[in-house]
Amino acid sequence: MKLSRRQLIKLGLASGAAIALPAEAFAWGSSGSGGTTYGNGGTGVTAFSLPLALPSVLQPSSTDATTDYYTLTHTVAQQQIIPGKLTTIWGYNGQYPGPTIKARVGRKVVINQINNLPESVSVHQHGGHTPPDSDGHPNALIAPGQSRTYTYPNNQLPATLWYHDHAADVTGRHVYMGLAGFYLLSDDIEDALPLPKGTNDVPLVFQDRIFNTDGSLSYTLDDRTIDEGFLGDTMLVNGVIQPYFQVPRRKVRFRLLNGSNSRIYNFTLSNGKAFTQIGSDGGLLSAPVSRTSLRLAPAERADVIIDFTSVPVGTSVILQNGDSSDTYSYRSGYTAEGGWNSGGAKVDIMRFDVSRDEADESSIPTTLRTVARIPTSQATKSRTWTLAKGWSGGANKWSINGKLYDPARVDATPALGSTEIWTFKNQSSQTHPMHIHDIQFQIVDINGQAPAAYDAGWKDTVLVPQWGSARVIMKFADLTGVYMIHCHKLEHEDHAMMTQFKVV
């Protein structure tokens, strides 16, 4: 494959030769009895031998009556991910994952982002309703040694959001190096619900990586990874390889984020028990939903409660991924019964060790937060975005409406205050998690079928099935300007499966 001069410069390569992908990047194997060499990519880390780490919570540098002010410095750092070895990461404040920012609805957050990395960066608050100059446009770059201030109004529903790099052409590599963190938005209404709180409200980001023998990260691009997305052979949760986590014998809330470049997960519990899902990308659902399996595409979030009450102290439950063998080419799709079907061997992700009894005053309300469905009759315009491959520059590339990303081109101009229905039509054998900046939308249907209850809340990313379609409805409120639409398989995004719309 011939890379562009711009990509070569950013990758630090001297020529346009193909970049070799290690074959083991696509070999996760099958479920074993003990899991000691399973999902760890041959790093030598025994499954469930390392404790889960929780990202630190960033404290504001100053506050006033309306605003909290923060500083994040993008730096090269070293972290001991594999015991006895140091891994070079790129981190916000030198941390992988980045520190968690906790914000309140209606109270502004202002962040001074300082770039001490050797490459230009951009920061996107994923799921945020933000002014375009703070949205993290891929070409609104912070050069090495420079800084930029981002302002987040937080005038939206509380939700599990996240922030990550969004620099043109290199988002995948930058996120892979560690540039991602949680942004948790809350309000008094959610706080008043009797859901698990405090130490029993736990953020978990899932990412797959490949490590070289010296402990360094390996991220390689060739025709296959650009086409299918990069997959790792080592499973990390909050930056820890297949960790264990001690939990009390009670209900615990987990905020699940798929922070992987391209891998899609289908989570299950080893005891066969159900998750109770209470929220998705854009906040709480109307009512809790019981699920024995839970699929998350890249960038999607699911807010769940796991009830360990019936699990004896001293025993464990393993969180597993049921889609280890193939994340990008499904033989079956969305069903009317309420979700995605697929097979595949199970991979052990992390282990919950029930270590103690603890009083549990929490409960799961039958009504969480009303999600008023937007009537399709309110839509004044419909648009179709076709996801397919096309030949350009001698290569068969992913595109939207047959076009590659061009920062000088705007492909839609929705009017401020208007409601529109967008159809993502997938003319390929791969699924595509499509992300829309600026707004939260609602799924109208997938392959013509109404969304399952857990997909009926507010969303900012929708997984479009192979040879299928997804329709979403949204209202463009408050803000005008240019925003992005793109596939959130980051290798697809970096290779121009992206376009722009302008709210006018």
Side-chain angles (χ1 to χ4, degrees):
M1 165 197 162
K2 190 75 172 176
L3 298 178
S4 71
R5 176 67 177 164
R6 183 182 186 189
Q7 289 168 322
L8 289 171
I9 292 171
K10 290 193 174 185
L11 290 170
L13 301 175
S15 71
I19 308 168
L21 173 73
E24 63 268 21
F26 288 91
W28 275 61
S30 58
S31 184
S33 56
T36 56
T37 59
Y38 182 56
N40 64 12
T43 58
V45 176
T46 301
F48 318 134
S49 64
L50 301 174
L52 179 75
L54 298 179
S56 64
V57 176
L58 189 65
Q59 298 302 312
S61 56
S62 64
T63 64
D64 61 28
T66 62
T67 306
D68 295 322
Y69 299 88
Y70 296 87
T71 297
L72 281 173
T73 303
H74 310 203
T75 62
V76 178
Q78 289 190 314
Q79 201 157 303
Q80 187 171 265
I81 298 174
I82 301 170
K85 298 181 180 181
L86 291 176
T87 299
T88 297
I89 59 100
W90 289 8
Y92 296 111
N93 287 357
Q95 300 175 36
Y96 164 62
T100 297
I101 296 171
K102 292 189 174 182
R104 302 290 294 180
V105 171
R107 183 172 177 81
K108 286 195 300 184
V109 162
V110 173
I111 305 178
N112 183 31
Q113 302 277 1
I114 303 171
N115 181 15
N116 285 343
L117 295 170
E119 297 180 10
S120 296
V121 297
S122 178
V123 184
H124 172 52
Q125 187 200 60
H126 188 113
H129 182 52
T130 62
D133 60 358
S134 292
D135 185 58
H137 190 282
N139 293 105
L141 297 172
I142 311 171
Q146 301 299 310
S147 65
R148 184 185 181 102
T149 299
Y150 294 75
T151 299
Y152 303 131
N154 297 320
N155 58 342
Q156 61 187 96
L157 290 172
T160 300
L161 309 178
W162 63 302
Y163 63 99
H164 61 80
D165 186 83
H166 209 285
D169 298 346
V170 290
T171 295
R173 186 162 57 87
H174 286 188
V175 172
Y176 191 86
M177 288 296 292
L179 293 175
F182 281 99
Y183 188 102
L184 305 181
L185 187 58
S186 59
D187 73 353
D188 292 343
I189 295 174
E190 183 168 328
D191 289 350
L193 294 175
L195 299 170
K197 294 178 173 62
T199 58
N200 293 308
D201 182 352
V202 182
L204 300 176
V205 56
F206 302 91
Q207 296 170 312
D208 53 337
R209 298 288 188 263
I210 294 176
F211 293 89
N212 297 313
T213 55
D214 64 357
S216 60
L217 286 166
S218 175
Y219 179 75
T220 52
L221 292 174
D222 64 6
D223 289 331
R224 184 175 184 181
T225 54
I226 291 170
D227 178 60
E228 298 171 347
F230 185 89
L231 302 178
D233 61 5
T234 305
M235 191 64 239
L236 293 91
V237 186
N238 290 357
V240 181
I241 299 172
Q242 288 181 295
Y244 70 87
F245 182 52
Q246 293 187 343
V247 296
R249 193 165 69 91
R250 52 157 291 162
K251 294 183 288 297
V252 181
R253 178 179 181 174
F254 295 97
R255 300 170 186 260
L256 312 182
L257 160 63
N258 182 349
S260 292
N261 282 36
S262 292
R263 186 173 293 280
I264 299 171
Y265 298 94
N266 191 36
F267 294 119
T268 59
L269 296 172
S270 60
N271 61 1
K273 298 295 186 180
F275 308 91
T276 300
Q277 184 171 347
I278 60 172
S280 59
D281 299 347
L284 293 177
L285 302 172
S286 289
V289 180
S290 180
R291 308 178 64 181
T292 54
S293 64
L294 190 153
R295 179 177 300 279
L296 278 187
E300 285 190 305
R301 286 87 70 206
D303 202 335
V304 304
I305 291 174
I306 301 177
D307 192 346
F308 297 103
T309 304
S310 63
V311 182
V313 171
T315 61
S316 302
V317 178
I318 297 173
L319 180 69
Q320 298 177 311
N321 174 31
D323 282 338
S324 59
S325 61
D326 182 7
T327 67
Y328 47 78
S329 180
Y330 297 104
R331 297 296 177 262
S332 57
Y334 203 81
T335 66
E337 287 72 29
W340 292 85
N341 293 332
S342 65
K346 291 188 176 182
V347 174
D348 297 338
I349 303 296
M350 66 177 295
R351 190 179 71 193
F352 300 111
D353 295 337
V354 181
S355 61
R356 62 195 184 278
D357 286 308
E358 184 178 297
D360 187 2
E361 298 178 354
S362 70
S363 61
I364 306 174
T366 55
T367 300
L368 294 164
R369 192 161 194 153
T370 301
V371 178
R373 297 291 296 175
I374 305 173
T376 56
S377 59
Q378 286 188 6
T380 56
K381 190 172 184 60
S382 296
R383 304 179 195 268
T384 298
W385 306 97
T386 300
L387 317 176
K389 277 187 177 178
W391 287 93
S392 178
N396 199 15
K397 300 179 180 179
W398 291 111
S399 64
I400 299 176
N401 285 352
K403 300 175 181 177
L404 301 179
Y405 171 60
D406 180 350
R409 191 186 71 243
V410 170
D411 286 331
T413 53
L416 183 67
S418 68
T419 299
E420 296 194 358
I421 292 176
W422 289 3
T423 299
F424 292 105
K425 186 178 181 181
N426 189 354
Q427 295 184 340
S428 79
S429 59
Q430 291 192 38
T431 56
H432 295 284
M434 298 304 297
H435 172 49
I436 304 173
H437 287 212
D438 175 45
I439 49 87
Q440 293 285 336
F441 56 74
Q442 293 176 355
I443 298 173
V444 177
D445 52 48
I446 297 178
N447 283 350
Q449 308 214 21
Y454 54 78
D455 271 343
W458 293 104
K459 297 279 292 172
D460 55 55
T461 305
V462 61
L463 185 62
V464 186
Q466 59 180 26
W467 306 113
S469 64
R471 287 198 304 158
V472 300
I473 188 169
M474 69 217 79
K475 183 173 183 178
F476 299 92
D478 304 324
L479 300 170
T480 59
V482 175
Y483 294 95
M484 307 304 300
I485 313 164
H486 60 85
C487 179
H488 221 284
K489 286 183 178 178
L490 297 183
E491 287 69 40
H492 291 183
E493 172 186 339
D494 282 344
H495 292 82
M497 195 176 187
M498 187 161 59
T499 189
Q500 299 177 125
F501 67 95
K502 182 177 184 180
V503 184
V504 297

